[in-house]
Amino acid sequence: MRKNVVLIGFMGTGKTSSGRMLAQRLGSAFIDLDQKIERDNHMSIPQIFQQQGESGFRTLEHQAVLEASQHASAVISTGGGTVKDPHNMKALRERGVIVCLRASVDAILDRTKKRGDRPVLDKADEGDRREAIEKLLEERASLYEQADFVVDTSDLSPMQVVDKILRFLRIRGVIHG
């Protein structure tokens, strides 16, 4: 049984696009926690935030983490704030290798500029958005640093990110060949 590969990191760092590609290369299932939450609750993340607030969303997120972490050999893409709950990280680490995707504030700003699907950022206007990203990155920095491996995706394509992760997994003995 191979361990899961769990992608953590701030929104806009490439967890979904790189995760999908990594799962394909590994021949593994791909689990996007945000998509799982939306599917399981028949609501979009912004709707959940609107109806239940962030705490309601985090409760649903924790349930999704517990279910996803029971898999083996899956690639799991987490939401940007999943790391805030130590119980989430404990569950994900038990059967997984934690890989943090990181990017510069400019890259994140550029990748998250579409409004409507980032409830934590959508309430900020453009100048405040940079400030909000910087503040959240600072708040979560120590949580992201708990990863087994970190990849800066700022200037990399998803394929380049996947190649770096695969090299790390081979060196770590998580995968062979």
Side-chain angles (χ1 to χ4, degrees):
M1 175 177 83
R2 197 179 75 226
K3 288 184 164 219
N4 293 320
V5 178
V6 180
L7 302 179
I8 66 169
F10 199 74
M11 62 187 91
T13 56
K15 297 181 302 289
T16 300
S17 53
S18 298
R20 226 181 230 110
M21 204 174 286
L22 178 63
Q24 201 169 29
R25 292 269 299 272
L26 291 171
S28 298
F30 175 67
I31 302 167
D32 181 294
L33 285 180
D34 284 348
Q35 290 174 1
K36 177 176 176 25
I37 293 164
E38 288 182 334
R39 229 182 9 259
D40 291 353
N41 295 281
H42 311 289
M43 272 190 270
S44 69
I45 303 264
Q47 288 172 320
I48 295 169
F49 264 77
Q50 187 177 23
Q51 290 181 17
Q52 301 180 31
E54 185 172 357
S55 65
F57 170 76
R58 297 296 173 203
T59 299
L60 297 174
E61 179 180 58
H62 181 64
Q63 186 57 46
V65 163
L66 293 177
E67 291 171 19
S69 63
Q70 294 308 304
H71 286 79
S73 306
V75 174
I76 301 170
S77 171
T78 66
T82 305
V83 297
K84 290 168 53 175
D85 183 342
H87 298 100
N88 287 342
M89 294 311 295
K90 182 179 185 296
L92 291 166
R93 188 175 291 284
E94 278 175 10
R95 294 180 122 173
V97 175
I98 311 290
V99 176
C100 179
L101 302 187
R102 174 172 67 200
S104 68
V105 173
D106 287 333
I108 292 168
L109 262 171
D110 186 56
R111 295 173 185 171
T112 63
K113 63 184 168 218
K114 185 179 139 239
R115 296 193 183 270
D117 59 351
R118 311 279 183 180
V120 176
L121 286 184
D122 284 341
K123 45 189 179 264
D125 63 33
E126 213 50 52
D128 294 338
R129 210 168 159 91
R130 173 179 288 279
E131 206 173 287
I133 289 169
E134 288 170 348
K135 182 175 182 272
L136 287 167
L137 281 171
E138 191 178 313
E139 284 173 9
R140 298 175 184 175
S142 65
L143 302 171
Y144 292 144
E145 287 167 8
Q146 296 172 24
D148 299 306
F149 184 60
V150 178
V151 180
D152 188 326
T153 68
S154 302
D155 301 313
L156 300 177
S157 70
M159 184 61 80
Q160 290 170 312
V161 171
V162 167
D163 287 342
K164 283 184 175 283
I165 295 170
L166 288 171
R167 272 195 298 278
F168 166 76
L169 294 174
R170 282 187 193 99
I171 290 167
R172 262 297 181 85
V174 176
I175 60 172
H176 305 286

